[in-house]
Amino acid sequence: TSTGTTSTGTTSTGTTSTGTTSTGTTSTGSTGVVAPDYALDFRGATGLFQTKTFTPTTRRTNVTVSAWVWLNAYKTSDQFIVFVGTVGANGFGMVVNASATLSTSFVSVVYKYEDVAVSSYQLPLREWVFLSIVSPALNAWNIYADGVLKASVTGNAASMVAPASRSIFAGSGQANRNNFDGKLDSVQVWNCVRTGDQLRADSLPMYPFGLNGYEPELALYLPFMEGAGSSTVSVGSAGGRAYNISGTVIWALHDYAHMTTSTGTTSTGTTSTGTSSTGTTSTGTTSTGTTSTGTT
């Protein structure tokens, strides 16, 4: 008997090539924002601006006060930056508090005149900072610098009296007390709580870059665009009101050279996808032998 043989086919397995993904990089450009803008330079002696004909807000909370601030020196007495109301009677404001050693002079919130809620944030000297105090709840205040939260303080509830005397001061307390030694620009009062992102937008120079004065809840906007004279005029929905400037105050240039906007472009990388080659299987055939029967 002759037995046939079986041939077994082999299977070839294809390989898969995996493509790689190249990730593009983002290049951030820097465009300087330079506007023909001015600031008021308070020399820490007798300068202030004030009005007794308009109260931008009568709120005790849900309010924001902001300004560009350049502090020239720490002092051993409080320095009033902006105050809404009548010092000694009502209202609130932001101050640089007194420091005997000049090493713990912090931005603070003041009620009326005598009660100061001292924060832990210290203004740098001789550089521009967009400073804001924001009250999200009664007697609660958040202090922001350039739209970044720096500190939170709690005021003395017993001393909080809503602004009611139609006054606002900057650069000094009432009757030239506690004068500010530095520059101010873009004073704003909002009848709402501004967020960090909103504050950063508020800090841009006047339209077309930033505010136009007609934004909802913007109660007072003083961009100091005059550059000369003894008064400055508010802009926007609360516009046309003259704020008298008195004492040792001079006009200074604020060119916003310290501020940049990013306008870079982003290049997006492409992904190359590899292809898979599938191997084929060859099946062997079986040959069946035949059986031959011999004769005897």
Side-chain angles (χ1 to χ4, degrees), residues 92-103:
F92 56 86
M94 54 184 176
V95 303
V96 179
N97 78 295
S99 171
T101 63
L102 305 185
S103 62

Side-chain angles (χ1 to χ4, degrees), residues 10-35:
T10 59
T11 301
S12 60
T13 304
T15 58
T16 301
S17 60
T18 304
T20 58
T21 301
S22 59
T23 304
T25 58
T26 301
S27 58
T28 304
S30 243
T31 302
V33 178
V34 180

Side-chain angles (χ1 to χ4, degrees), residues 125-169:
L125 291 179
R126 293 176 287 279
E127 66 180 71
W128 284 107
V129 174
F130 190 70
L131 186 65
S132 306
I133 58 172
V134 182
S135 175
L138 190 61
N139 298 315
W141 294 89
N142 294 327
I143 296 173
Y144 288 82
D146 299 326
V148 178
L149 179 63
K150 295 295 186 179
S152 298
V153 297
T154 301
N156 182 359
S159 297
M160 180 44 152
V161 179
S165 53
R166 307 178 69 80
S167 297
I168 181 170
F169 297 84

Side-chain angles (χ1 to χ4, degrees), residues 65 71 78-83 92-99 104-111 113-123 131-134 141-144 150-155:
V65 178
L71 181 63
D78 293 337
Q79 300 183 63
F80 275 60
I81 302 172
V82 178
F83 190 89
F92 56 86
M94 54 184 176
V95 303
V96 179
N97 78 295
S99 171
T104 56
S105 188
F106 300 111
V107 174
S108 306
V109 177
V110 61
Y111 286 173
Y113 187 82
E114 65 278 1
D115 280 323
V116 179
V118 181
S119 82
S120 58
Y121 172 63
Q122 188 172 39
L123 272 174
L131 186 65
S132 306
I133 58 172
V134 182
W141 294 89
N142 294 327
I143 296 173
Y144 288 82
K150 295 295 186 179
S152 298
V153 297
T154 301

